[in-house]
Amino acid sequence: MTTTVGTTTDPTTPVAQGSALWPAQARASQVFGRQLVISRAEGSFIETEDGRRLFDGTAGLWHANIGHSRPELARAAYEQMMNLETYHTFARFTNDRAAELAEMLAEVSPIPDPKLILNSGGSDAIDVACKLARRHWQREGRESKQIILSREFAYHGLHAYGTSIAGLEFNREGYGTESLVPETARVSFNDPEQVRRAVAEIGAENIAAIVTEPVQGTGGVNPPTEGYLETIQELCRENDILLILDEVITGFGRLGTMFATERYGLQPDLVTFAKGVTSGYAPLGGIFVSRRIWEPFFADTDDAPIFRHGSTYAGHATAAAVAVEHLKILRDEKLVDRVRELEPTFVKDLEDLARNNPEVTEVRYAGLLGGVTLREGVAVEKVCDRMIDKGFISRPLRGNTLQVSPPFIVTEQELTDFLAAMSEAITEEAAA
Ligand code: PLP
């Protein structure tokens, strides 16, 4: 792709020109002319239009868990579309595949006896979870319970609610107010006592929910500090605050358990999911809703409340068919067990990297999710560029950290090679 420089409507300012597609989370002038155009992928590798083959060390945006280009999923989508591309799920209508997927998800649910709300991705799921938390307390007649608490460095997508509760400040800035949805506040990401104080200051009577990733992803791969999640859960119970667990990254096996609830012993009220439900083969997300929240809406009475939420593609039949087939692959090929089996090697490789490379200040990990933090002065963006030249993909995260989250099908050798290439790139960049 070539970059040409034109002018803006202000003739003195040049404008970067490239594709008509607006690049996400980037300054256009810094990516046009050097974009990697991915046009093929297979297993743990992707290929660019200009013929490069790269190891996908991040599984895309933490989504390609079972690996790329599985023909079974292409077939599932084709067969579904030949039969019924989709039909909506409003009012009396539903479709057989959405219903089938919901039953299947209920069987592996991190919450007992759940209802499922389906939609198109993680940001959607966060939007609906936060809305439902507020709707719950309004329906209960506790009108002041409106504030959603989230953690510093949190990432919950970039729809209006995800933007409003972002713990990465730059994602909240530039819209004229502190938070698009005003009723939000941030709490400490690692100090449970600060969270306790914040709840006391704000007043539990004003708080609808606390939302948290079990392991923060974009914030730098931060596993919970000792007792943090347990304290949050306790605080929620003691104070009638709903606990929303954002499992958009961790759901469906990334931590070696189907959900992080299992690994950390949590009983949340709402759980959001997306990426790993289809490994990205179809845009799908949703939330598990606990009985305490769904039951009043399902009362068999003429005046039962309605949760006024929905979208054309909520329960999209083709996305659901792909998810059903995908979950079968995850189960039949025991890929969640595989994450658990790989974890000790993964941990050892990361610890070796930290020990052997003086530029690495810390490594953090859980399951097949890792972060490698470099000393200030060695720019992770540049290290990622060097890694691409060597045929490996990582990604910069907050805090000068490199992302490590390969597909579950990665081999031990590929993992070792990936971290060796990372170490080499770090050393080269430090010396440059
Ligand atoms: N929540 C978490 C924890 C995420 O990491 C992400 C995306 O990376 C989202 C929500 C948003 O998901 P999506 O990009 O599918 O909207």
Side-chain angles (χ1 to χ4, degrees), residues 25-299:
Q25 290 284 39
R27 186 166 287 128
S29 62
Q30 288 174 352
V31 294
F32 279 166
R34 57 192 290 270
Q35 283 180 303
L36 292 159
V37 184
I38 315 304
S39 53
R40 247 192 68 78
E42 196 175 351
S44 297
F45 291 82
I46 61 169
E47 286 173 34
T48 61
E49 217 173 39
D50 59 5
R52 285 193 258 186
R53 185 167 184 267
L54 303 167
F55 175 73
D56 190 3
T58 59
L61 288 179
W62 345 71
H63 72 269
N65 293 350
I66 70 161
H68 299 283
S69 303
R70 291 285 300 241
E72 302 92 317
L73 297 182
R75 219 169 291 123
Y78 173 81
E79 281 166 12
Q80 184 58 42
M81 282 196 197
M82 290 301 281
N83 202 38
L84 164 72
E85 75 291 350
T86 196
Y87 212 79
H88 70 81
T89 56
F90 276 43
R92 281 186 68 192
F93 294 90
T94 184
N95 71 67
D96 56 351
R97 301 319 297 268
E100 181 187 356
L101 174 61
E103 292 306 324
M104 207 166 167
L105 289 172
E107 296 220 333
V108 296
S109 172
I111 287 177
D113 195 13
K115 295 289 182 201
L116 271 299
I117 296 177
L118 298 175
N119 47 42
S120 308
S123 301
D124 279 10
I126 282 292
D127 240 48
V128 66
C130 293
K131 276 179 69 177
L132 184 53
R134 285 184 63 155
R135 184 73 183 88
H136 170 77
W137 294 117
Q138 293 304 302
R139 191 202 48 69
E140 290 267 300
R142 299 176 69 176
E143 284 97 358
S144 64
K145 284 178 85 63
Q146 297 175 5
I147 295 175
I148 309 283
L149 298 187
S150 59
R151 295 160 73 191
E152 51 184 351
F153 313 136
Y155 184 82
H156 299 291
L158 295 171
H159 284 2
Y161 245 119
T163 298
S164 303
I165 61 175
L168 294 162
E169 299 286 318
F170 52 79
N171 281 331
R172 269 208 334 279
E173 289 165 359
Y175 301 102
T177 53
E178 181 51 29
S179 175
L180 278 177
V181 178
E183 298 84 4
T184 72
R186 247 60 52 210
V187 294
S188 166
F189 84 112
N190 60 1
D191 176 2
E193 289 317 309
Q194 189 282 336
V195 185
R196 201 179 277 286
R197 285 196 298 279
V199 167
E201 265 166 43
I202 295 167
E205 71 282 9
N206 299 315
I207 302 171
I210 299 180
V211 52
T212 174
E213 299 153 85
V215 176
Q216 288 189 332
T218 310
V221 181
N222 305 316
T225 50
E226 187 74 25
Y228 183 92
L229 291 173
E230 292 82 350
T231 306
I232 300 273
Q233 175 160 282
E234 215 176 273
L235 259 175
C236 286
R237 289 225 181 101
E238 285 166 5
N239 292 286
D240 265 355
I241 294 169
L242 300 181
L243 178 59
I244 303 174
L245 204 62
D246 182 351
E247 292 233 35
V248 166
I249 290 177
T250 53
F252 303 97
R254 177 57 67 186
L255 300 185
T257 50
M258 198 61 166
F259 291 92
T261 47
E262 209 182 307
R263 182 161 176 141
Y264 297 117
L266 301 171
Q267 290 108 33
D269 300 290
L270 297 163
V271 174
T272 56
F273 62 89
K275 306 176 190 282
V277 68
T278 63
S279 284
Y281 282 82
L284 181 77
I287 65 172
F288 293 95
V289 183
S290 62
R291 187 168 191 118
R292 162 189 184 193
I293 296 178
W294 65 254
E295 203 174 56
F297 293 96
F298 285 73

Side-chain angles (χ1 to χ4, degrees), residues 352-354 356-360 372 374 383 387 390 402 416-430:
D352 284 351
L353 173 63
N356 298 331
N357 194 318
E359 316 300 336
V360 175
V372 176
L374 308 186
V383 172
M387 288 184 70
K390 295 175 188 296
L402 293 157
T416 305
D417 293 348
F418 175 66
L419 291 174
M422 179 177 278
S423 189
E424 231 178 73
I426 294 168
T427 304
E428 285 168 13
E429 182 52 32

Side-chain angles (χ1 to χ4, degrees), residues 386-422:
R386 287 180 188 275
M387 288 184 70
I388 286 169
D389 292 342
K390 295 175 188 296
F392 297 87
I393 296 179
S394 176
R395 224 165 63 89
L397 302 173
R398 184 202 68 87
N400 217 33
T401 295
L402 293 157
Q403 176 176 335
V404 187
S405 56
F408 301 172
I409 55 165
V410 67
T411 63
E412 294 194 6
Q413 189 60 50
E414 285 165 348
L415 250 179
T416 305
D417 293 348
F418 175 66
L419 291 174
M422 179 177 278

Side-chain angles (χ1 to χ4, degrees), residues 369-390:
L369 193 55
V372 176
T373 299
L374 308 186
R375 75 166 168 84
E376 247 179 80
V378 187
V380 281
E381 291 77 7
K382 296 261 178 63
V383 172
C384 288
D385 288 345
R386 287 180 188 275
M387 288 184 70
I388 286 169
D389 292 342
K390 295 175 188 296

